[in-house]
Amino acid sequence: SAVISQKPSRDICQRGTSLTIQCQVDSQVTMMFWYRQQPGQSLTLIATANQGSEATYESGFVIDKFPISRPNLTFSTLTVSNMSPEDSSIYLCSVATGNSNQPQHFGDGTRLSIL
Amino acid sequence: GQQLNQSPQSMFIQEGEDVSMNCTSSSIFNTWLWYKQDPGEGPVLLIALYKAGELTSNGRLTAQFGITRKDSFLNISASIPSDVGIYFCAGQTTDSWGKLQFGAGTQVVVTP
């Protein structure tokens, strides 16, 4: 499966600031996704990162808060904007190759704490 | 909306025992996936299921795609200490274009 690298692996940020998380894959992938995992919780899909077009956001998530870029088939970024303590979570990138039935593989996540 | 229920929430077992967990959905899925997440890491895919009734093994792990397409189970046989972690089921519907819905997770603790 593809090797997925996320940066940073963790960060501590001040409220009101923004942080951009990078996801780099070692091979071209069809689909890239961003998930949030709040402390002690399961994974919730934030959005599908579409190459060359605007991301598709899930209910409860908006572009102004979580802008996403995907300039090519191996890279995507997620920005967490105007952060508050409620944004303290693990943010995970996942990828799927081939068609939509291919299983998703995850990066190790970015552990974000907001003070 | 869709709901995916995973149980049990946690399990405390002795080394060598078998473990079983399951997920049920209010909707029909065309794919069931089982992941394991260790502390500080992302979820790692254990087993993928694509057909109703499919029974698939991966070493000591066995998972089945329910005939109704609304449920799946995962069994771990002869547990060992490294089986400790959180296990998640995830399902995908036909019209969701790769989007996964995750269960709440089952935390497994193995004692010597």
Side-chain angles (χ1 to χ4, degrees), chain A residues 31 37 42 100-101 103-104 111, chain B residues 35 37 40 50 92 97-98 103:
Chain A
M31 309 186 80
Q37 186 175 26
S42 186
S100 62
N101 283 333
Q104 291 180 31
R111 281 142 189 82
Chain B
Y35 291 87
Q37 186 175 28
Y50 298 105
Q92 176 184 320
W97 279 101

Side-chain angles (χ1 to χ4, degrees), chain A residues 33-76:
Chain A
F33 305 88
W34 287 98
Y35 289 81
R36 181 176 72 184
Q37 186 175 26
Q38 294 177 304
Q41 303 296 312
S42 186
L43 285 76
T44 301
L45 180 64
I46 297 172
T48 303
N50 301 308
Q51 193 265 328
S53 64
E54 195 170 282
T56 305
Y57 289 84
E58 297 302 303
S59 176
F61 298 97
V62 295
I63 187 172
D64 289 347
K65 177 66 175 179
F66 297 103
I68 288 170
S69 78
R70 189 176 173 194
N72 55 52
L73 294 176
T74 64
F75 185 78
S76 178

Side-chain angles (χ1 to χ4, degrees), chain A residues 55-108:
Chain A
T56 305
Y57 289 84
E58 297 302 303
S59 176
F61 298 97
V62 295
I63 187 172
D64 289 347
K65 177 66 175 179
F66 297 103
I68 288 170
S69 78
R70 189 176 173 194
N72 55 52
L73 294 176
T74 64
F75 185 78
S76 178
T77 66
L78 168 74
T79 299
V80 186
S81 303
N82 188 24
M83 290 183 285
S84 67
E86 293 72 32
D87 294 320
S88 297
S89 292
I90 302 172
Y91 292 87
L92 294 143
C93 167
S94 76
V95 306
T97 58
N99 61 40
S100 62
N101 283 333
Q102 292 299 310
Q104 291 180 31
H105 297 275
F106 287 81
D108 280 339

Side-chain angles (χ1 to χ4, degrees), chain B residues 36 60-61 76-87 108 110:
Chain B
K36 182 190 178 202
R60 292 179 296 106
L61 308 177
I76 306 172
S77 63
S79 59
I80 60 178
S82 61
D83 290 333
V84 167
I86 303 177
Y87 293 78
V108 173
V110 180

